[in-house]
Amino acid sequence: MHTRIRKAREGMGYTREKFAEKLDVSVSYLAELERGRTGISVKMLIKVCNVLGLSADYVLFGTERDADAMRADNIRRIDDKYIPLLDSVITELLSLTDLAE
């Protein structure tokens, strides 16, 4: 679990300091978490998953998510004020798809 968190953090381009800031924890706590020397609370697991766009299943068990599940998770993370814009983009893309057929 701890290795998956570290690799995901690095994959997102976050330094340990920046990631700790996003999680509102100390850098030393994050270092201990990534080394597997401390446990993780459910609340912290949720924060980690939200910031990194990961599922709890993946973090805990290493189960890969498919592209659709990842996309759905990313959409859930979008601020509500941008949902109308997202809907417009999707509608436009679908109309372009309909024209191509």
Side-chain angles (χ1 to χ4, degrees):
M1 170 176 76
H2 310 290
T3 303
R4 287 186 288 279
I5 292 171
R6 181 183 50 80
K7 286 183 179 180
R9 171 186 60 80
E10 291 170 347
M12 295 284 292
Y14 292 135
T15 62
R16 191 172 279 155
E17 291 78 13
K18 183 67 176 175
F19 190 46
E21 181 182 319
K22 288 187 166 290
L23 296 175
D24 196 27
V25 298
S26 69
V27 175
S28 60
Y29 168 78
L30 183 58
E32 293 296 302
L33 179 66
E34 288 185 347
R35 291 184 183 114
R37 294 182 183 161
T38 190
I40 188 168
S41 68
V42 172
K43 186 176 180 179
M44 184 54 57
L45 175 63
I46 292 168
K47 280 183 165 183
V48 167
C49 291
N50 286 337
V51 171
L52 295 176
L54 301 173
S55 71
D57 284 346
Y58 174 73
V59 173
L60 293 171
F61 308 114
T63 306
E64 293 289 336
R65 296 178 302 153
D66 64 14
D68 288 339
M70 289 175 54
R71 193 172 298 111
D73 284 346
N74 286 335
I75 290 170
R76 280 191 283 280
R77 293 175 54 215
I78 294 173
D79 190 302
D80 286 343
K81 68 183 178 187
Y82 298 116
I83 296 299
L85 176 61
L86 177 63
D87 289 340
S88 297
V89 169
I90 290 170
T91 300
E92 185 64 28
L93 289 171
L94 289 172
S95 71
L96 292 173
T97 302
D98 291 341
L99 291 175
E101 294 175 349

